[in-house]
Amino acid sequence: MNLNDLLQSKNINPEKVLVFRHRPKEPHLHKVLPWLAAEKPDLFNAYQQTQGQKVEKAMKGAAYVASFIAYGAGKALFVGLYSVGRTKPLTRAQFWKVPANIELKEFGMNGFDANERRPTVLWFDLAPTEHYASWKGKLIVGWPPPERSWWRRAHRNTIPVLAILEDNALDAKLPPWDEMSLSWQELGVMPTRLKAALVHWRGIYYIFDHSDDKGYVGSAYGNENLLGRWLNYAES
C-alpha cells in the first residue's frame, strides 16, 4: 500500500496533491516543529502557508497538500491532509505583521527573507481535512530519494506506507533529566507527554539569561512541581 492508494480510497486524485516533508533548516524550529504540529496546529499550518517561488507555483494548481514531518532518514510522519483554498499576496512588511509569523520568528524561522528579490509572497488558505485525521503522528511513510527534495507531486512518486503506530509520535518522548534543556519559547509549546511527567517532577533547575549572561538557580516542589513553576515562567 502507498500514499496514492490512500488518496484514491477517499476519491482524491493524486494529480492534485502535493506532498510536503517538512525539515526546517533552522535548528530551533527543527526541534519544535513536531511540538507545534501536536500542540499548536494553527501555528504549524502558518509555517507551511507561504513557500518559495517554485513550490508556490506548484501549489496554485493543487487541490490538497499532504503534510508530513521528517522522521529519520528516508521516512516521514503524517501531520494532515489540507485542502488548498484562496490565496492573497503579502508584502514583506505584511508578512512580518502576521501574529503567527512573529511567533515562528521567535523559534528561528527565516520566513520571507530580505534576500529574496520578489516584492510579495503568496499566502495560501490551507484548511485541515478529516481524511485520515486519526492517523496524525501515527502514519509513517517512506520518502523516495533524493532526500533533499522535501516536496513531491503525489502522482509522480511511489510513497510506501511503512507503519501505523499505536501512539502519537509527535508527542515527544521524555528525555533523561540531565539532558533536558528548554528555551523560554519552548516552555509554551511543550508536548503533552513531557508536561505529564513534569507535573510529578520536583528538583533543582538552572536558568540562563542570554541577554545579560546571568544565571539563576531555583527549586520546585510541592503542589507546583517543575511544570507549574516553569509554566509561570513561560507566561511571565
Side-chain angles (χ1 to χ4, degrees), residues 131-205:
H131 300 310
Y132 303 109
S134 63
W135 287 358
K136 178 179 178 179
K138 298 180 180 180
L139 172 64
I140 300 175
V141 299
W143 193 251
E147 193 163 335
R148 66 178 180 274
S149 299
W150 70 272
W151 69 279
R152 304 291 175 86
R153 297 181 186 274
H155 72 289
R156 294 181 183 176
N157 292 270
T158 299
I159 301 176
V161 173
L162 301 182
I164 301 174
L165 307 176
E166 290 187 9
D167 296 325
N168 189 333
L170 293 171
D171 195 357
K173 293 182 180 179
L174 186 68
W177 68 268
D178 56 348
E179 295 179 9
M180 183 174 297
S181 178
L182 298 169
S183 71
W184 177 78
Q185 291 88 354
E186 290 169 358
L187 291 177
V189 294
M190 286 187 294
T192 300
R193 191 181 301 179
L194 178 54
K195 289 189 287 189
L198 291 179
V199 75
H200 299 293
W201 281 20
R202 58 189 63 182
I204 309 299
Y205 56 87

Side-chain angles (χ1 to χ4, degrees), residues 104-115:
L104 286 167
K105 189 175 184 179
E106 294 180 349
F107 291 109
M109 185 185 76
N110 292 324
F112 195 177
D113 198 322
N115 294 325

Side-chain angles (χ1 to χ4, degrees), residues 6-204:
L6 297 180
L7 294 172
Q8 290 171 336
S9 71
K10 300 295 184 181
N11 296 317
I12 296 173
N13 184 355
E15 293 184 8
K16 293 294 184 178
V17 180
L18 295 184
V19 189
F20 290 170
R21 179 178 181 259
H22 295 298
R23 190 180 55 182
K25 296 179 180 178
E26 305 92 331
H28 195 184
L29 187 60
H30 181 85
K31 175 184 176 181
V32 303
L33 193 64
W35 299 7
L36 298 181
E39 304 294 331
K40 291 197 171 184
D42 290 344
L43 199 57
F44 171 84
N45 196 21
Y47 169 74
Q48 62 182 3
Q49 285 179 296
T50 56
Q51 297 292 340
Q53 287 178 287
K54 187 174 182 180
V55 181
E56 186 179 277
K57 183 178 179 180
M59 289 179 71
K60 290 180 180 179
Y64 294 93
V65 165
S67 186
F68 292 80
I69 291 178
Y71 189 69
K75 298 179 182 179
L77 182 66
F78 182 63
V79 176
L81 185 68
Y82 297 77
S83 61
V84 181
R86 62 188 179 87
T87 64
K88 64 179 178 181
L90 298 176
T91 64
R92 187 169 287 103
Q94 290 172 329
F95 177 91
W96 286 116
K97 287 182 180 179
V98 175
N101 292 338
I102 295 172
E103 192 169 352
L104 286 167
K105 189 175 184 179
E106 294 180 349
F107 291 109
M109 185 185 76
N110 292 324
F112 195 177
D113 198 322
N115 294 325
E116 292 191 56
R117 296 181 179 180
R118 52 179 173 161
T120 62
V121 65
L122 204 57
W123 175 88
F124 288 83
D125 183 9
L126 299 181
T129 72
E130 292 300 316
H131 300 310
Y132 303 109
S134 63
W135 287 358
K136 178 179 178 179
K138 298 180 180 180
L139 172 64
I140 300 175
V141 299
W143 193 251
E147 193 163 335
R148 66 178 180 274
S149 299
W150 70 272
W151 69 279
R152 304 291 175 86
R153 297 181 186 274
H155 72 289
R156 294 181 183 176
N157 292 270
T158 299
I159 301 176
V161 173
L162 301 182
I164 301 174
L165 307 176
E166 290 187 9
D167 296 325
N168 189 333
L170 293 171
D171 195 357
K173 293 182 180 179
L174 186 68
W177 68 268
D178 56 348
E179 295 179 9
M180 183 174 297
S181 178
L182 298 169
S183 71
W184 177 78
Q185 291 88 354
E186 290 169 358
L187 291 177
V189 294
M190 286 187 294
T192 300
R193 191 181 301 179
L194 178 54
K195 289 189 287 189
L198 291 179
V199 75
H200 299 293
W201 281 20
R202 58 189 63 182
I204 309 299

